[in-house]
Amino acid sequence: MTDLTAPPRRKAAPAAGTAPGTSQGPPPVRARRPGRTALLPTAALLLGAVYCLLPVAWVLVASTKSGTELFSTFTFLPGSGFTDNLADLGAYRDGIYWRWMANSAFYAGFGALLSTAVSAVSGYALAVYRFRGREAVFNVLLAGVLMPPVILAIPQYLLLAEAGMADTYLSVLLPLVLSPYGVYLGRIYAQAAIPMELVEAGRVDGAGEWRIFLRVAVPMMSPGLVTIFLFQFVAIWNNFLLPYIMLGDDEKFPMTVGLYTLLAQGSATPALYTLVITGALLAVVPLIALFLVIQRFWSLDLLSGAVKS
């Protein structure tokens, strides 16, 4: 027997923004197709990795082959002449290859340090200070980023030859000190990483502009400066055209130009091909070591949250 005194049940009102009669429960969960969405990007990444690593694998395998094995065996079949190739490379012209490697380390290391310092000072000045013509200077630098280095090589050689510095170490270092792309990165990173409140606080405390730059700006810009240094080091290490035009003494050659001379002589002496391949393999080792050592300094957002706006 039903209770006639019980009040009738009332339906709950629909939620705001929904039409009457629609379900108020959680939306149904659609089953996802496993692996379908990630298959294409993964395949593209694997294809790109194979494309980039295949030449490195060829150099690694070819450096283990002797002169006869290089042209008579399967491409990716390792040989038995790696130690002999190293000994022949070190003995070639009293070890001039190691002189080329030392020259490359000097050009790339010292040039990257100077370029990073110039980029840090220039980028900080363009980001922090307000002066007439600032945007015009920055636009000129952007034009320098877009200009290929090939266009500037011959004018730079003519200017340095007029100054009597052709075929010197400075003829390779000086054009590399100012990097438009490095200055561009320095300004962009300084604008993002250095709050103006910290700069103003340093000025209120009586610190000079140079001290603010060294004690406040440089630590906060350090991840960006490490990136600039790495880009410049790799670019100078692999640079071929500028030292090829500037230098005539093979004792001052970097590794790239030195290996090119060996390759040019290989047409008459095929035995030099194994030296070129072994030298190219050894030339990659410093870059790999640099990446492994310097990656721990890429601590992004090192001082983020120091100032809350």
Side-chain angles (χ1 to χ4, degrees), residues 119-130 182-196 199 213 216-218 220-225 228:
S119 300
V121 175
S122 304
Y124 174 80
L126 290 172
V128 172
Y129 299 114
R130 304 291 186 268
V183 176
Y184 168 76
L185 286 181
R187 180 190 179 179
I188 297 302
Y189 200 88
Q191 285 180 333
I194 303 175
M196 287 302 299
V199 178
F213 171 72
V216 177
V218 170
M220 301 184 74
M221 292 174 61
S222 57
L225 298 182
I228 295 172

Side-chain angles (χ1 to χ4, degrees), residues 194-215:
I194 303 175
M196 287 302 299
E197 290 85 352
L198 287 182
V199 178
E200 295 296 337
R203 291 169 179 170
V204 170
D205 291 341
E209 297 296 328
W210 186 249
R211 187 174 183 182
I212 293 175
F213 171 72
L214 292 179
R215 298 297 181 87

Side-chain angles (χ1 to χ4, degrees), residues 30-280:
R30 297 180 180 179
R32 298 182 60 184
R33 297 178 180 179
R36 289 289 183 88
T37 58
L39 182 59
L40 186 59
T42 303
L45 289 176
L46 289 176
L47 185 62
V50 171
Y51 176 79
C52 294
L53 296 178
L54 191 61
V56 179
W58 181 87
V59 171
L60 181 62
V61 173
S63 63
T64 64
K65 299 182 179 183
S66 62
T68 56
E69 294 173 338
L70 184 62
F71 299 101
S72 60
T73 60
F74 178 66
T75 302
F76 290 99
L77 182 65
S80 59
F82 182 69
T83 56
D84 294 335
N85 292 338
L86 286 178
D88 294 340
L89 182 64
Y92 178 75
R93 290 187 53 189
D94 297 328
I96 194 172
Y97 175 79
W98 305 116
R99 179 64 180 268
W100 294 339
M101 287 283 284
N103 291 337
S104 291
F106 172 72
Y107 292 138
F110 194 57
L113 283 176
L114 291 178
S115 180
T116 303
V118 172
S119 300
V121 175
S122 304
Y124 174 80
L126 290 172
V128 172
Y129 299 114
R130 304 291 186 268
F131 54 89
R132 182 176 298 178
R134 184 184 69 162
E135 295 303 323
V137 172
F138 187 65
N139 292 333
V140 171
L141 288 172
L142 288 181
V145 173
L146 301 176
M147 186 171 297
V150 179
I151 299 177
L152 301 177
I154 299 300
Q156 288 171 347
Y157 171 76
L158 295 177
L159 289 174
L160 292 172
E162 190 68 22
M165 289 189 294
D167 197 19
T168 62
Y169 290 101
L170 289 177
S171 64
V172 179
L173 282 176
L174 288 180
L176 302 173
V177 170
L178 179 60
S179 170
Y181 186 63
V183 176
Y184 168 76
L185 286 181
R187 180 190 179 179
I188 297 302
Y189 200 88
Q191 285 180 333
I194 303 175
M196 287 302 299
E197 290 85 352
L198 287 182
V199 178
E200 295 296 337
R203 291 169 179 170
V204 170
D205 291 341
E209 297 296 328
W210 186 249
R211 187 174 183 182
I212 293 175
F213 171 72
L214 292 179
R215 298 297 181 87
V216 177
V218 170
M220 301 184 74
M221 292 174 61
S222 57
L225 298 182
V226 169
T227 304
I228 295 172
F229 174 82
L230 185 60
F231 283 173
Q232 283 299 104
F233 188 95
V234 174
I236 299 173
W237 183 270
N238 296 326
N239 192 9
F240 169 78
L241 182 63
L242 182 65
Y244 179 73
I245 293 176
M246 294 293 182
L247 301 176
D249 184 7
D250 60 356
E251 293 287 337
K252 302 184 181 72
F253 282 174
M255 171 269 310
T256 52
V257 182
L259 290 179
Y260 172 77
T261 59
L262 278 181
L263 184 62
Q265 298 172 20
S267 58
T269 310
L272 295 179
Y273 283 138
T274 57
L275 302 187
V276 175
I277 295 173
T278 307

